[in-house]
């Protein structure tokens, strides 16, 4: 027989993941983020490649508590964030990738839609949380906005995925010193990883949350 | 400078992935599914663990072409499927995990919400496509419906993720012989993987599709 009770499943999962994290000297909060990413990917290979800026967790918590919005590159990230928990803090989640004006702008410029979407957000990213789960071009664009247009998000959760630009965009994220970040080295990443990081922090702020495994 | 043109990014990504697949003796169509899963995860470690039943691709194509619906366990899968392509064939995507009646049923029975959702779909799964990206309990339940209640989906894309039941649920999927499947051995999987498999097949049917990288 298999486990069917959500709380038991999650507790057991975290118990199985825990030994893989013991060598990394993590804070309790970092451990929660690592565990949730590994839980969401089924891949303990994430443990050595997750990189959390020392101020990232506190910056994201503070932003959430004052009702900051989250700006994402793809709808899957928007859908995966625990909306029941997030809305308690008053923020909204924005994703423009499917908007007609973004589509037209991207076609005109010969760039990806998620890159166009980030450029169109522009100043709106100031003080907010950016969560990029798919497109390296979106992360490159946010980093350009930070560098060239002095735009200053509260934090960037940047885990774009793949073999064309993903590793480079995340290396650039780790090389800058202005914005706290959560990322993953190399080609791995994706919407589920971005969602896991966001939800881990939401759940830290909301211990009263209910059932968790879908 | 980095690539910003969607078609170039995707072509280059597939070119990078291709050598990793050469040892697996795949059909052109299988190769498309493998490539898209690896593209979506940034993880070539998927190549040896993807398992495609010999009739799965033709069964899913046939089902889509006659307008079959897709039943998913989580909203992230619903959101990730290329809706522009899918709706051309006339089907709908259903996910009940957030419905009030499912939540109540799950609480009453002490089971996960996605397991409750599959049980409530029941007979509606006959002849349709099931896509499970998150919850092992949902896949266990669909396999029980097949075994005990003679329910017969056209195919199951079953890639639940994690350390509690995921590997076992997928082993059970591969052990049954009634329903063609696409799956992944072990703990890895997730919504992005389910979405990648569905979209790979949608794109086979729709060569006229437009830009792809978001």
């Amino acid at each position: 027989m298999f486990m069917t009770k959500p709380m038991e499943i999650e507790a057991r999962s975290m118990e199985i993941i825990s030994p893989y994290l013991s060598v990394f000297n993590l804070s309790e909060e970092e451990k929660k983020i690592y565990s949730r990413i590994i839980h969401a990917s089924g891949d303990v290979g994430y443990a050595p490649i997750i990189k959390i800026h020392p101020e990232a967790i506190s910056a994201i918590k503070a932003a959430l508590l004052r009702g900051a919005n989250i700006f994402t590159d793809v709808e899957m990230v928007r859908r995966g964030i625990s909306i029941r928990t997030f809305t308690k803090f008053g923020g909204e989640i924005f994703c423009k990738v499917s908007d007609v004006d973004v589509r037209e702008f991207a076609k005109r410029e010969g760039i990806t839609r998620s890159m166009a979407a980030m450029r169109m957000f522009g100043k709106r990213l100031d003080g907010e949380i950016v969560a990029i789960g798919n497109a390296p071009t979106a992360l490159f664009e946010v980093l350009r906005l930070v560098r060239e247009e002095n735009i200053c998000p509260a934090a960037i959760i940047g885990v774009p995925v793949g073999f064309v630009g993903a590793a480079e965009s995340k290396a650039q994220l780790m090389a800058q010193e202005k914005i706290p970040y959560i990322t993953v080295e190399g080609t791995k990443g994706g919407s589920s990883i971005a969602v896991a990081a966001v939800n881990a922090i939401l759940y830290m702020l909301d211990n009263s949350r209910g059932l968790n495994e879908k």
Side-chain angles (χ1 to χ4, degrees), chain A:
Chain A
M1 199 40 208
F2 55 94
M3 286 190 186
T4 58
K5 293 195 171 42
M7 300 299 269
E8 279 175 22
I9 293 170
E10 181 164 328
R12 179 72 190 120
S13 178
M14 296 307 171
E15 205 175 277
I16 293 167
I17 293 165
S18 181
Y20 292 98
L21 304 180
S22 58
V23 297
F24 294 101
N25 192 26
L26 304 173
S27 72
E28 275 310 301
E29 294 192 324
E30 286 170 331
K31 201 177 158 189
K32 283 181 180 157
I33 296 172
Y34 277 60
S35 300
R36 192 152 288 277
I37 288 174
I38 292 170
H39 177 69
S41 60
D43 183 3
V44 295
Y46 272 97
I49 59 176
I50 296 169
K51 301 295 158 188
I52 302 179
H53 182 282
E55 283 159 40
I57 299 174
S58 57
I60 295 168
K61 283 166 73 174
L64 288 168
L65 287 172
R66 63 174 160 67
N69 299 311
I70 299 178
F71 290 79
T72 79
D73 60 336
V74 288
E75 289 288 345
M76 277 184 81
V77 175
R78 166 146 68 177
R79 270 326 299 214
I81 292 170
S82 174
I83 197 71
R84 269 202 295 174
T85 311
F86 179 64
T87 46
K88 290 182 189 174
F89 303 107
E92 272 185 80
I93 309 176
F94 294 98
C95 178
K96 279 182 81 66
V97 75
S98 301
D99 291 7
V100 175
D101 55 345
V102 166
R103 193 182 294 270
E104 283 166 5
F105 181 56
K107 195 169 268 184
R108 206 162 55 235
E109 299 285 319
I111 61 179
T112 65
R113 288 189 283 133
S114 52
M115 185 174 185
M118 291 297 154
R119 193 171 300 172
M120 290 177 83
F121 284 138
K123 264 288 170 208
R124 291 179 65 195
L125 302 179
D126 268 335
E128 312 281 16
I129 298 162
V130 174
I132 294 174
N134 185 294
T137 53
L139 181 53
F140 277 126
E141 178 62 19
V142 171
L143 292 170
R144 191 195 64 78
L145 290 168
V146 168
R147 205 169 52 236
E148 295 179 10
E149 305 195 15
N150 214 21
I151 283 165
C152 194
I156 300 174
I157 293 159
V159 289
V161 64
F163 300 90
V164 182
E168 295 81 351
S169 69
K170 292 180 286 186
Q172 214 178 88
L173 175 62
M174 290 183 273
Q176 61 82 40
E177 292 175 343
K178 206 169 151 189
I179 315 291
Y181 56 80
I182 296 176
T183 190
V184 154
E185 288 177 328
T187 58
K188 288 185 188 178
S191 305
S192 308
I193 308 305
V195 165
V198 172
N199 285 344
I201 298 176
L202 283 172
Y203 298 153
M204 287 176 205
L205 293 173
D206 183 45
N207 291 322
S208 65
R209 76 200 166 86
L211 303 183
N212 208 357
E213 211 246 14
K214 296 180 183 117

